[in-house]
Amino acid sequence: AAPSIIRISDDGETLIAADTPFVRFDTVSVAFPAGAFLQPSLAGEKALTQLVTAGVGEASTVLDAFCGLGTFALPLSRHGAVTAIDQNGPAMDALDEAARTLTGRRPITTKRRDLMRDPLSPAELNAFDGVVFDPPRAGAKAFAAALAASKVPQVVAVSCEPKTLARDCATLVAGGYKIAHVVPVDQFVATSHLETVVVLRRDP
């Protein structure tokens, strides 16, 4: 069949919609709201997902902060219960709807919250044995400070901005974390931008 236009949007506003577009993460279909964030390549997304899930390891309760549509939350739910938080309401609604269809996985709880202005407290973070955070280019200064004061044993930081990632990781290291490994992912082909995954752990 010939390709057809499903939706035309301008700056997040839907102008024409013939149907609802869907994207798939870890075999799960998620409705794609206008203006929602996606990784720029499937190969990059696959590499990041593998690094994140390996970094979290056997954690049974996982926080996915700045989760978007659930790129990491959905595969993480294969092994642990996931709390997925983002300020984007349509993305949270889409992930919540998709999570309700899951079978054979641990539950995903979605919460809408602006983690830049209202980061979780150390006490709230202590409910998790693994935390993943993938903030915008500005990084997660306040969130990292709260995390540094927590007792979460393992953290995976993902970022497309090395400068703010270095700042946030320095905060975590000052709070007692040790960097286990750093992996760059060159998914922004023909640009100077670089995605990076950092795994940090506390000594038991």
Side-chain angles (χ1 to χ4, degrees), residues 66 116 119 133 135 138-147 164 167-168 171:
F66 309 94
M116 295 293 201
F133 69 104
K141 186 175 182 179
F143 183 84
L147 196 53
T164 55
R167 179 201 65 201
D168 294 343
T171 298

Side-chain angles (χ1 to χ4, degrees), residues 24-29 45 49 71 74-78 105:
R24 290 176 69 81
F25 303 118
D26 197 37
T27 75
V28 181
S29 293
E45 178 187 301
T49 298
T71 306
L74 287 161
L76 287 169
S77 70
R78 288 184 177 272
R105 300 187 187 221

Side-chain angles (χ1 to χ4, degrees), residues 117-137:
R117 298 170 181 259
D118 183 23
L120 275 70
S121 68
E124 289 175 298
L125 289 164
N126 287 339
F128 305 99
D129 51 17
V131 169
V132 176
F133 69 104
D134 183 11
R137 295 182 65 83

Side-chain angles (χ1 to χ4, degrees), residues 71-96:
T71 306
F72 302 137
L74 287 161
L76 287 169
S77 70
R78 288 184 177 272
H79 303 291
V82 179
T83 298
I85 302 180
D86 199 285
Q87 68 170 340
N88 187 305
M92 289 288 83
D93 291 342
L95 176 55
D96 184 64

Side-chain angles (χ1 to χ4, degrees), residues 85-193:
I85 302 180
D86 199 285
Q87 68 170 340
N88 187 305
M92 289 288 83
D93 291 342
L95 176 55
D96 184 64
E97 185 175 350
R100 294 175 187 276
T101 70
L102 298 180
T103 58
R105 300 187 187 221
R106 302 294 301 278
I108 296 177
T109 302
T110 60
K111 296 181 180 180
R112 185 177 181 183
R113 182 166 174 171
D114 184 348
L115 293 172
M116 295 293 201
R117 298 170 181 259
D118 183 23
L120 275 70
S121 68
E124 289 175 298
L125 289 164
N126 287 339
F128 305 99
D129 51 17
V131 169
V132 176
F133 69 104
D134 183 11
R137 295 182 65 83
K141 186 175 182 179
F143 183 84
L147 196 53
S150 78
K151 299 178 181 178
V152 177
Q154 48 199 8
V155 172
V156 181
V158 184
S159 176
C160 62
E161 176 47 72
K163 290 182 180 179
T164 55
L165 175 63
R167 179 201 65 201
D168 294 343
C169 285
T171 298
L172 293 172
V173 169
Y177 285 93
K178 294 181 179 179
I179 294 177
H181 57 262
V182 179
V183 181
V185 178
D186 187 14
Q187 67 167 338
F188 302 100
V189 179
T191 77
S192 60
H193 297 293

